[in-house]
């Protein structure tokens, strides 16, 4: 049976990233304040919806690769966001029904929907941890109840590192999480960048940070690549999410988006 999940307290007066992302992806788990902010950003940066779609496609391709080609059977997905199509456990367990997935988020609305994330295959396992990326010790302790940290784990950080502005704090968190994982584990990161259109990228951040929560940080491609320090980056390195190993049917349709991603191995 899934663990009991406490009632969540949701503030509908302030736009929140997970709900706005859900709105851009065509979901229904958002409020007027989120829709208003989503439309405000889309009015001067209409490609933001392409970013959201490309980020989800990046998740599908990376998880599929890690399961199919690298033999990964364990995933720790931090900054999960609201359940939508092709969640990590759905992609992983479609390839390997025995895959085990732990989701982590600190958004009350995600917590309220966590039961949807806990419905996985009978052979595998899914769990949800209510915790903040800034507390890696709590995450690791809770995740170890479902995952065997002595075996390879894919650490998924999609669209979440950008909500910690201090590079030193990010480095400390990543070092602690990666240190706890076995050799053969992987780090997967996606992150908004200003490499494609610096002015508009920072316009998005300014508009978001004026009202939204948590606060958003935009990083350069070099800044995103630095997140993988000490790890072996898989080809093609840190690139636009839409260009990370696109399927043959995607070639010709894919175009760069201001959301970069990469996958790296811990040796």
């Amino acid at each position: 049976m899934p663990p009991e999940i406490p009632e969540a307290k949701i503030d509908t007066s302030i736009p929140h990233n997970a709900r706005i992302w859900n709105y851009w992806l065509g979901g229904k788990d958002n409020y007027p304040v989120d829709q208003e902010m989503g439309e405000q950003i889309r009015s001067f940066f209409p490609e933001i919806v392409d970013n959201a779609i490309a980020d989800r496609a990046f998740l599908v391709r990376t998880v599929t690769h890690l399961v199919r080609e690298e033999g990964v059977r364990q995933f720790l997905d931090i900054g999960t966001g609201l359940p939508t199509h092709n969640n990590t456990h759905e992609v992983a367990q479609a390839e390997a029904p025995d895959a085990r997935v732990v989701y982590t988020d600190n958004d009350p609305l995600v917590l309220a929907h966590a039961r949807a994330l806990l419905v996985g295959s009978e052979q595998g396992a899914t769990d949800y941890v209510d915790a903040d990326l800034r507390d890696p010790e709590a995450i690791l302790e809770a995740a170890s109840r479902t995952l065997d940290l002595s075996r390879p784990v894919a650490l998924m950080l999609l669209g979440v590192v950008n909500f910690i502005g201090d590079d030193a704090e990010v480095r400390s968190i990543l070092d602690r999480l990666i240190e706890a994982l076995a050799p053969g584990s992987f780090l997967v990161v996606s992150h908004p960048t200003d490499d494609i259109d610096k002015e508009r990228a920072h316009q998005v951040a300014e508009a978001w940070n004026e009202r939204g929560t948590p606060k958003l940080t935009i990083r350069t491609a070099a800044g995103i690549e630095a997140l993988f320090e000490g790890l072996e980056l898989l080809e093609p390195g840190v690139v636009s999410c839409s260009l990370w190993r696109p399927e043959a049917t995607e070639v010709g349709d894919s175009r760069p988006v201001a959301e970069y991603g990469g996958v790296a191995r811990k040796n």
Side-chain angles (χ1 to χ4, degrees), residues 4-187:
E4 288 298 319
I5 298 173
E7 182 180 355
K9 295 181 179 178
I10 300 167
D11 185 349
T12 61
S13 66
I14 300 174
H16 195 282
N17 172 70
R19 303 194 307 250
I20 294 175
W21 206 251
N22 176 264
Y23 174 65
W24 285 329
L25 285 172
K28 299 179 179 179
D29 296 313
N30 48 74
Y31 297 94
V33 67
D34 308 305
Q35 298 161 16
E36 179 185 346
M37 174 63 79
E39 287 303 318
Q40 178 185 343
I41 292 174
R42 187 153 63 173
S43 69
F44 59 80
F45 191 32
E47 303 96 319
I48 193 67
V49 176
D50 295 331
N51 284 21
I53 293 171
D55 187 74
R56 179 56 49 154
F58 174 72
L59 181 154
V60 173
R61 293 199 302 272
T62 55
V63 171
T64 299
H65 171 80
L66 291 173
V67 175
R68 188 183 294 172
E69 307 298 333
E70 306 289 351
V72 176
R73 295 294 183 270
Q74 302 189 110
F75 293 81
L76 176 55
D77 187 336
I78 304 177
T80 304
L82 288 160
T84 181
H85 299 298
N86 291 322
N87 300 296
T88 298
H89 75 282
E90 294 170 329
V91 179
Q93 292 174 356
E95 293 288 333
D98 61 337
R100 306 176 74 83
V101 178
V102 172
Y103 292 105
T104 303
D105 208 299
N106 68 336
D107 177 13
L109 189 58
V110 178
L111 178 62
H113 285 263
R115 290 192 186 281
L117 291 169
L118 296 174
V119 180
S121 67
E122 292 183 3
Q123 302 96 315
T126 56
D127 198 2
Y128 179 85
V129 175
D130 180 25
D132 193 297
L133 176 59
R134 289 183 171 87
D135 192 355
E137 296 298 339
I139 292 173
L140 291 167
E141 180 182 357
S144 67
R145 295 195 288 266
T146 300
L147 307 179
D148 179 356
L149 300 186
S150 69
R151 300 178 63 82
V153 173
L155 173 61
M156 310 288 293
L157 297 173
L158 273 60
V160 63
V161 175
N162 39 282
F163 293 114
I164 301 179
D166 185 270
D167 289 344
E169 184 180 8
V170 170
R171 185 73 265 157
S172 175
I173 292 167
L174 290 178
D175 286 347
R176 179 64 190 103
L177 290 169
I178 294 166
E179 175 191 37
L181 302 182
S185 293
F186 290 83
L187 172 64

Side-chain angles (χ1 to χ4, degrees), residues 174-210:
L174 290 178
D175 286 347
R176 179 64 190 103
L177 290 169
I178 294 166
E179 175 191 37
L181 302 182
S185 293
F186 290 83
L187 172 64
V188 183
V189 175
S190 67
H191 194 297
T193 181
D194 62 3
D195 270 37
I196 292 178
D197 189 329
K198 191 179 187 71
E199 182 177 346
R200 286 201 301 157
H202 288 279
Q203 188 180 359
V204 169
E206 289 170 10
W208 171 256
N209 291 338
E210 185 177 345

